[in-house]
């Protein structure tokens, strides 16, 4: 709807017609939101039925290790055989007698090996005697708490050890959507409350003396403060990735081999081995540029949770005192490293790096430094690629898209209460049930009304052109208190053939926030793959580099090509291709590197010039990847173009300026404003 509105706007502007004001506003969800001190642990989930008593704890340390591997194969195994690859990596390790790996397999429609049966849940043991099938049963949903509980109870009862690690293998979806998306059962996943319930039924929650040495996620997006808050009740260490993992995932030969060589290691040592071998494995196949993996000492997490809650409380108080707080926070979040995409085409995970957000907001929230200090204390190790240089080990929630349904998921799964009230206020202008008591606890007498784009008359805001031919938008000082960001959308227009083409979005503007004036810095070039212009979206902006996402067909399948622009080197690079989020919130685990011979079809967003139809994806040009394939900038084709300044606020409202139109001919630009 939003893009169709922009299309109509450009058409009207190009025709020099008057238009009525239009500003999209947040549509609130009708579901009632209730915030409690511990939503994650108290959320209603299917009750776990305990079928057996867990084994008593090992009384004397004997140096033994057990890894309980919850291997939900999903489409990763069906389509790519990635689980089979990791099982093969495990089989390369000769384990000593005091190390057992207990595995449950399921959740995939097809297994790319002759051992696993997709029609059954199977339990396996890998030890010094090799791989053995222990038992099998009718298929069950790996995305349900009961299935997880039964595996954990079985492993704990039959294969206890001095030190135990529980690892998950599958897709991940961050704090809101969890992990273990079962392909057979419609990609239902385990959310954090279900994980808590299953673990608690086997090892009663105890932050002072957790039963497990380590919990690990060989999945995407699960190194979050909310995940850490759940598992501090059960384990000493957490190993997980803030970012989407590439398809190669953890390198099982590496870290299991390290454990086999030194079974006396603790959870920290094992976590470091997992991180190092993972990064080495990524380097071996060229997927390291956007990797993250961290080891969190969960026994030191409580000070971080306390600092995070205070951080949220101070932010809430500031929001009630400073009219422009949410706009400033939104601009800080835009400059904060975020994970999983967060663009229209890729979908929104709404996960940002916690430490980077604290640094970006330290000037406005004093306790941000305490968050950074506490985070440094509990993150004992981390690795990161060149385009994930700001990763500090754990991410947190920030709503980039203003989606209320997604926010309600965070209400249910997130830790603490301060940020839940803060974001409820930001997105709706109101508080959830219990908000009056929360205001009273902070000695806040009333909740001021938030001024958003929906309250401003900035839709259709006029553009001007200065003596140098640069177009600019002048909104005044109030823009600093309202706008969370500003960019532009670029269109190719062809009235004679009744066509409009949306080329994408960028932030190539010069912003004077103090005076609310924004200058076009457009140079007449656009992103191109081997000289073919493409549709592209800005996914992350920083002082060092920008990241962009480009929808393509790769050998006939839909992907998003990830590219980066390095401001220091003034160079573009191709990172790889991924498939973004699906409707369930599941993140693609495969980062697909381009290979010689790959067939790429570029995708353009087209609509008619005269009608009210929405922009739709159309295949455009085909090219074959060669050894010299590269991404760069190319001059715009000769023809007519339109640029619209796009404004947004922290509540998810958008407004659009008048269009600046220009003609390109032989590399020259001729600009006009309507």
């Amino acid at each position: 709807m939003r893009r169709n509105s922009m299309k109509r706007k450009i058409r009207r502007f190009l025709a020099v017609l008057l238009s009525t004001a239009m500003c999209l506003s947040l549509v609130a969800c009708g579901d009632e939101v209730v915030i409690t001190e511990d939503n994650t642990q108290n959320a209603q989930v299917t009750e776990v039925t305990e079928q057996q008593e867990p084994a008593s704890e090992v009384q004397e340390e004997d140096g033994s290790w057990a890894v309980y591997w919850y291997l939900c194969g999903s489409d990763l195994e069906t389509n790519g055989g990635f689980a089979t690859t990791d099982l093969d990596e495990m089989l390369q390790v000769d384990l000593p007698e005091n190390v057992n790996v207990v595995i449950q397999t399921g959740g995939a429609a097809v297994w790319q090996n002759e051992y696993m049966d997709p029609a059954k849940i199977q339990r396996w043991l890998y030890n010094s005697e090799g791989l053995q099938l222990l038992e099998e049963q009718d298929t069950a949903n790996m995305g349900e708490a009961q299935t997880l509980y039964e595996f954990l109870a079985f492993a704990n009862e039959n294969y206890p050890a001095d030190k135990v690690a529980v690892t998950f293998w599958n897709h991940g979806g961050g704090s809101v959507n969890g992990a273990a998306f079962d392909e057979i059962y419609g990609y239902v996943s385990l959310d954090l409350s279900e994980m808590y319930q299953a673990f608690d039924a086997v090892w009663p929650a105890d932050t002072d003396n957790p039963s497990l040495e380590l919990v690990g996620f060989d999945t995407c997006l699960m190194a979050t403060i909310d995940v850490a808050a759940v598992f501090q009740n059960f384990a000493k260490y957490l190993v997980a990735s803030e970012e989407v993992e590439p398809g190669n995932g953890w390198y099982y030969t590496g870290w299991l081999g390290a454990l086999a060589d030194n079974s006396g290691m603790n959870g920290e040592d094992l976590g470091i081995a997992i991180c190092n071998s993972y990064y080495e494995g990524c380097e071996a196949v060229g997927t390291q540029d956007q990797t993250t993996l961290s080891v969190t000492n969960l026994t030191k997490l409580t000070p971080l949770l306390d600092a995070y809650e205070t951080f949220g409380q101070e932010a809430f108080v500031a929001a009630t005192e400073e009219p422009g707080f949410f706009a400033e926070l939104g601009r800080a979040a835009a400059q904060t490293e975020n994970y999983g995409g967060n663009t229209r085409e890729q979908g929104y995970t709404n996960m940002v790096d916690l430490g980077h957000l604290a640094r970006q907001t330290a000037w406005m929230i004093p306790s941000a430094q305490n968050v950074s200090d506490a985070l440094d204390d509990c993150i004992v190790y981390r690795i990161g690629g060149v385009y994930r240089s700001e990763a500090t080990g754990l991410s947190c929630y920030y709503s980039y898209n203003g989606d209320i349904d997604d926010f309600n998921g965070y209400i249910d799964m997130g830790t603490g209460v301060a940020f839940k009230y803060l974001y409820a206020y930001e997105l709706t202008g109101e508080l959830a049930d219990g908000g009056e008591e929360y205001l009273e606890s902070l000695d806040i007498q009333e909740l001021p009304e938030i001024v958003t784009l929906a309250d401003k008359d900035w839709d259709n805001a006029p553009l001007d052109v200065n003596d140098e031919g640069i177009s600019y938008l002048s909104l005044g000082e109030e823009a600093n208190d309202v706008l969370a960001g500003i960019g532009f959308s670029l269109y190719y227009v062809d009235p004679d053939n009744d066509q409009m083409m949306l080329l994408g979005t960028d932030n190539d503007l010069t912003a004077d926030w103090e005076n609310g004036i924004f200058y076009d810095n457009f140079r007449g070039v656009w992103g191109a793959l081997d000289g073919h212009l493409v549709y592209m979206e800005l996914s992350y902006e920083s002082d060092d580099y920008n990241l962009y996402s480009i929808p393509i067909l790769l050998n006939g399948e839909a992907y998003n090509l990830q590219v980066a622009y390095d401001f220091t080197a003034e160079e573009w690079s191709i990172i790889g291709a991924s498939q973004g989020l699906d409707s369930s919130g599941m993140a693609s685990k495969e980062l697909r590197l381009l290979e010689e011979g790959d067939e790429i079809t570029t995708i353009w967003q087209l609509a008619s010039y005269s009608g009210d139809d929405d922009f739709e994806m159309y295949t455009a040009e085909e090219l074959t990847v060669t050894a010299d394939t590269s991404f760069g900038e190319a001059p715009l084709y000769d023809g007519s173009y339109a640029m619209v300044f796009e404004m947004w606020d922290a509540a998810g409202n958008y407004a659009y300026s008048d269009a600046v139109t220009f003609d390109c001919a032989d590399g020259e630009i001729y600009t006009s404003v309507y």
Side-chain angles (χ1 to χ4, degrees), residues 210-247:
S211 299
L212 304 174
E213 191 70 14
L214 181 147
V215 169
F217 286 87
D218 188 3
T219 73
C220 303
L221 303 170
M222 295 301 285
T224 82
I225 191 169
D226 309 303
V227 172
V230 167
F231 285 102
Q232 74 165 157
N233 296 283
F234 309 109
K236 297 175 184 176
Y237 296 94
L238 170 71
V239 179
S241 172
E242 293 184 80
E243 182 55 286
V244 173
E245 283 191 358

Side-chain angles (χ1 to χ4, degrees), residues 361-387:
T361 57
W363 66 274
M364 55 194 293
I365 308 174
S367 63
Q369 185 60 51
N370 296 335
V371 172
S372 296
D373 293 342
L375 188 61
D376 286 342
D377 285 342
C378 65
I379 301 298
V380 298
Y381 196 74
R382 64 179 182 269
I383 56 94
V386 62
Y387 294 124

Side-chain angles (χ1 to χ4, degrees), residues 507-559:
N507 68 336
D508 197 5
L509 303 173
T510 300
D512 176 0
W513 285 104
E514 184 176 351
N515 297 298
I517 304 175
F518 307 94
Y519 298 89
D520 153 36
N521 195 35
F522 189 63
R523 296 169 289 114
V525 296
W526 198 249
L529 184 63
D530 282 352
H532 299 268
L533 293 180
V534 296
Y535 173 89
M536 57 191 290
E537 288 185 329
L538 177 67
S539 60
Y540 172 64
E541 55 182 292
S542 74
D543 293 335
D544 298 322
Y545 56 86
N546 279 0
L547 300 178
Y548 296 85
S549 177
I550 300 159
I552 60 170
L553 294 182
L554 179 57
N555 299 325
E557 291 189 66
Y559 276 84

